[in-house]
Amino acid sequence: MPDAPLTQVLAPDVSPRPSACPGLWRIVTARDGGICRIKLPGGVLLADQADAVADAAERFAGGVIEATNRGNLQVRGIGADHHGLLDALLAAGLGPREAAGDDVRNLMLSPLAGLDPLMLLDVRPLAAQLLRMLETTPRLHELSAKFAVQLDGGEGLAMLEHPHDLWLSAVRLEQRTWLAFGLAGCPAQQRALGAVPVEQGLALVRAVLERFLDLARPEQSRMRHLLDTCPADAFVAGLGLAIRRDAAVLAWRRPASRAKWLGVLPQRQGLALGVAPPLGRLTPAMLRGAARLAREAGDGSLRLSPWQSLLLPGFDSARAHEGLAELAALGLLCSAGQPLARLVACTGSRGCAKAQADTKADAVVLAGLLHQGGPGSVHLSGCPRSCAVAHVAPATLLARAPGRYDLYLRDARLPGFGVLRATDLTPEEAGALLDLPTEHLDD
């Protein structure tokens, strides 16, 4: 007799700890149905897995697939057959076989990790070790479902503004590669607290996570909470490792990332194609079409990015422009100058009870008012939680009522979204302000 599907043995909706965050094994209810988040190792999705996600979204949900701002996927509008959905995704190799190991797989890499021409270090071997440790170490399953780690190999294409509980970044010192690290921040805005040789990267992460669990009270679920009562220097001093903390390390700053993420992108060998689903939402047809191209002219994989976009690595250079045309015909965005490519919107009131406005629909209206190649990214948020963007965007439209927004511009000197520039705007009024060529909106 064949084995029963795993989800008939272990209920998919129950994780070791309750959380508001969706996961593979925890389907969270929203206004538009259930949400299942698929955490991709290093953002990598094989073409056959992409087909499986597309099939599952059509069969068990409403056909809505979202690219998230941490390089993952989620399926929305899930119906009653949670077991069927989970069995289909697990059969495609899209998660650990135990629920306890799913929540903690929050490790973000560059979407061109191992391929970027500017990288100092191929972080993929270390990333595989870290994910294995997170999945298989029971004590680490006590970490919050939001607790996150970033591993940066010095790539030109890297998201450096998302805050993480622990970040590690490759740096060259005295002809040797080290891993600088920081806590409760990001490489773009924070000086390193120290550095270790690359070969000690796994030991450093384990020491940081175990020390956090040793010290954190139940209400201190994130590193920033713990640092309110345990200063960073004291935390590092108790790690039990030889940490390099000389002037060269403490003065180092991560160079800014200016690489483009849409269009034809260079790799160390060959090239990649970068495309984005409008407002982060993929249809099954888009995902299947991208998977087909990845098989035919790429390396057979897709990579999800923290810009809510897709990369097709290892692409045949002779087919690059033809490939972009095929992806554009599917409805995917291929240029950062396209107005919709500069807009990020949360689910909005159609899918979330907390949202004050239909942000997706209002973003489409706003995009029609912005000229091609205009100012930097604009974030439409249905409530103050800012679910769609992990860092502060150059401009934020915060909903206050259906079809009405307050406009904020980022200011590093101010907390939250920045400085309030205008209130109670319609999307049309916001468009008139945001289309002005002002330096405050440069991304």
Side-chain angles (χ1 to χ4, degrees), residues 152-227:
D152 161 38
E155 299 88 357
L157 182 63
M159 169 55 74
L160 303 176
E161 291 191 294
H162 282 9
H164 284 76
D165 295 276
L166 166 65
W167 59 263
L168 303 97
S169 190
V171 54
R172 290 288 291 176
L173 298 171
E174 294 110 24
Q175 306 303 311
R176 183 180 183 183
T177 303
W178 298 71
L179 286 171
F181 69 94
L183 304 174
C186 58
Q189 300 168 0
Q190 192 178 46
R191 293 188 183 277
L193 290 172
V196 297
V198 169
E199 56 270 21
Q200 292 184 21
L202 182 66
L204 172 67
V205 175
R206 180 186 288 274
V208 168
L209 300 186
E210 290 181 345
R211 182 155 170 77
F212 173 83
L213 291 172
D214 286 341
L215 297 178
R217 300 191 299 264
E219 69 274 14
Q220 293 174 317
S221 61
R222 304 296 300 276
M223 185 66 74
R224 66 178 184 270
H225 303 147
L226 176 61
L227 295 185

Side-chain angles (χ1 to χ4, degrees), residues 239-264:
L239 289 175
L241 295 174
I243 307 292
R244 178 174 175 174
R245 304 194 71 195
D246 60 5
V249 170
L250 300 181
W252 172 83
R253 295 298 297 266
R254 172 55 158 94
S257 174
R258 296 296 182 188
K260 65 178 184 177
W261 48 275
L262 293 179
V264 178

Side-chain angles (χ1 to χ4, degrees), residues 22-361:
L24 185 72
W25 289 89
R26 181 177 46 251
I27 296 175
V28 173
T29 301
R31 179 171 282 174
D32 57 348
I35 307 173
C36 173
R37 183 170 297 157
I38 306 164
K39 295 181 178 179
L40 303 173
V44 176
L45 180 71
L46 301 180
D48 289 348
Q49 293 175 326
D51 287 339
V53 173
D55 293 345
E58 287 180 329
R59 183 177 176 189
F60 302 106
V64 175
I65 306 162
E66 293 181 326
T68 77
N69 59 36
R70 292 194 181 275
N72 295 313
L73 284 177
Q74 57 189 32
V75 178
R76 295 193 70 96
I78 298 167
D81 190 1
H82 292 184
H83 293 279
L85 173 76
L86 267 293
D87 282 334
L89 297 178
L90 288 170
L94 286 165
R97 303 300 294 183
E98 296 185 10
D102 183 49
D103 270 349
V104 294
R105 298 189 309 136
N106 301 319
L107 176 64
M108 194 171 83
L109 312 181
S110 161
L112 282 180
L115 306 174
D116 194 292
L118 297 181
M119 70 181 186
L120 302 176
L121 172 70
D122 183 352
V123 298
R124 291 175 297 178
L126 176 56
Q129 292 178 317
L130 293 174
L131 285 170
R132 192 177 307 115
M133 179 183 71
L134 288 165
E135 287 183 16
T136 61
T137 306
R139 192 182 182 211
L140 300 184
H141 301 165
E142 300 172 22
L143 294 167
S144 162
K146 292 182 178 293
F147 198 99
V149 179
Q150 179 175 18
L151 180 55
D152 161 38
E155 299 88 357
L157 182 63
M159 169 55 74
L160 303 176
E161 291 191 294
H162 282 9
H164 284 76
D165 295 276
L166 166 65
W167 59 263
L168 303 97
S169 190
V171 54
R172 290 288 291 176
L173 298 171
E174 294 110 24
Q175 306 303 311
R176 183 180 183 183
T177 303
W178 298 71
L179 286 171
F181 69 94
L183 304 174
C186 58
Q189 300 168 0
Q190 192 178 46
R191 293 188 183 277
L193 290 172
V196 297
V198 169
E199 56 270 21
Q200 292 184 21
L202 182 66
L204 172 67
V205 175
R206 180 186 288 274
V208 168
L209 300 186
E210 290 181 345
R211 182 155 170 77
F212 173 83
L213 291 172
D214 286 341
L215 297 178
R217 300 191 299 264
E219 69 274 14
Q220 293 174 317
S221 61
R222 304 296 300 276
M223 185 66 74
R224 66 178 184 270
H225 303 147
L226 176 61
L227 295 185
D228 287 339
T229 56
C230 176
D233 287 342
F235 184 96
V236 172
L239 289 175
L241 295 174
I243 307 292
R244 178 174 175 174
R245 304 194 71 195
D246 60 5
V249 170
L250 300 181
W252 172 83
R253 295 298 297 266
R254 172 55 158 94
S257 174
R258 296 296 182 188
K260 65 178 184 177
W261 48 275
L262 293 179
V264 178
L265 313 178
Q267 295 182 188
R268 283 204 164 185
Q269 295 182 338
L271 52 84
L273 300 186
V275 294
L279 302 175
R281 287 205 162 172
L282 288 153
T283 65
M286 288 177 181
L287 196 52
R288 289 194 185 99
R292 176 184 56 79
L293 266 178
R295 287 191 196 92
E296 292 177 357
D299 68 1
S301 73
L302 307 171
R303 295 197 181 192
L304 276 291
S305 91
W307 293 274
Q308 296 178 283
S309 65
L310 303 174
L311 275 71
L312 283 68
F315 207 83
D316 182 352
S317 58
R319 290 195 58 184
H321 295 292
E322 174 191 343
L324 281 179
E326 291 184 42
L327 294 165
L330 293 169
L332 292 160
L333 306 170
C334 301
S335 168
Q338 294 174 263
L340 265 180
R342 306 201 310 274
L343 298 182
V344 179
C346 69
T347 297
S349 55
R350 291 190 186 184
C352 177
K354 292 183 171 64
Q356 298 297 308
D358 186 352
T359 53
K360 296 286 191 191

